[in-house]
Amino acid sequence: MENQGSEVMRKRMKPSVEEKDMMVGNAAALELLGEETETNAPASEQMELDISHILEKIDSFTQMVSELLESGKSLLKELSNEFEERLIMIHKEQMEKWQEEIKELRMLDTSNEETSALLHNARSLLQNVHDY
């Protein structure tokens, strides 16, 4: 009686994530399909053709997914390299702009110091003239 109750509970429970992954995986699907064809009575010729056609579709789909994954990896790698190069170029350009700003500020400071020295000298001369 307990065995029947546990079997009923087991049947009603949702499959876990791991069980779903196992059901979805290509290897598990092919293995399950292979076991079914081995344990069942010999199938008709049409059934064998249909199964063969489905297996070809599985192989074709698996190949397409593999190619898409490789293509995606390649594309992402190229984009990553381009992104890195562009970011480095932007950084370099910004550093050059700031270096130019620093250079201009230093030139302005030098000019201001010279002007300040001239004004100080002029003030001193005027004060000397005023004192006489």
Side-chain angles (χ1 to χ4, degrees):
M1 188 74 149
E2 279 185 30
N3 286 342
Q4 288 178 346
S6 64
E7 285 180 339
V8 170
M9 288 299 292
R10 192 171 48 137
K11 289 179 183 177
R12 290 184 182 182
M13 290 176 24
K14 291 184 179 179
S16 70
V17 173
E18 294 162 356
E19 289 173 333
K20 285 181 182 178
D21 288 345
M22 286 178 59
M23 287 189 290
V24 173
N26 283 337
L30 290 174
E31 186 177 315
L32 182 62
L33 186 58
E35 287 174 5
E36 285 180 7
T37 56
E38 289 174 8
T39 57
N40 290 343
S44 68
E45 192 174 315
Q46 182 61 40
M47 181 67 71
E48 291 296 327
L49 285 173
D50 290 345
I51 290 171
S52 175
H53 185 66
I54 291 171
L55 289 172
E56 287 174 9
K57 286 181 181 180
I58 289 172
D59 287 342
S60 174
F61 183 72
T62 301
Q63 181 64 32
M64 182 181 69
V65 167
S66 177
E67 289 171 1
L68 285 172
L69 284 172
E70 287 302 315
S71 172
K73 283 181 188 178
S74 175
L75 179 63
L76 288 174
K77 193 170 203 172
E78 288 175 23
L79 286 173
S80 175
N81 289 339
E82 288 178 21
F83 175 76
E84 182 179 357
E85 290 172 7
R86 180 66 178 135
L87 201 53
I88 289 170
M89 189 171 64
I90 289 170
H91 180 267
K92 182 180 176 183
E93 290 172 357
Q94 188 61 49
M95 291 296 111
E96 289 172 358
K97 285 179 185 177
W98 284 335
Q99 290 295 331
E100 186 62 32
E101 284 182 34
I102 289 170
K103 183 179 174 183
E104 289 174 7
L105 284 172
R106 285 185 175 147
M107 287 174 44
L108 181 62
D109 185 53
T110 301
S111 174
N112 285 343
E113 290 295 324
E114 289 172 359
T115 303
S116 179
L118 283 174
L119 287 173
H120 179 68
N121 288 340
R123 192 176 298 134
S124 295
L125 285 174
L126 284 174
Q127 203 165 23
N128 287 340
V129 170
H130 189 273
D131 287 342
Y132 287 117

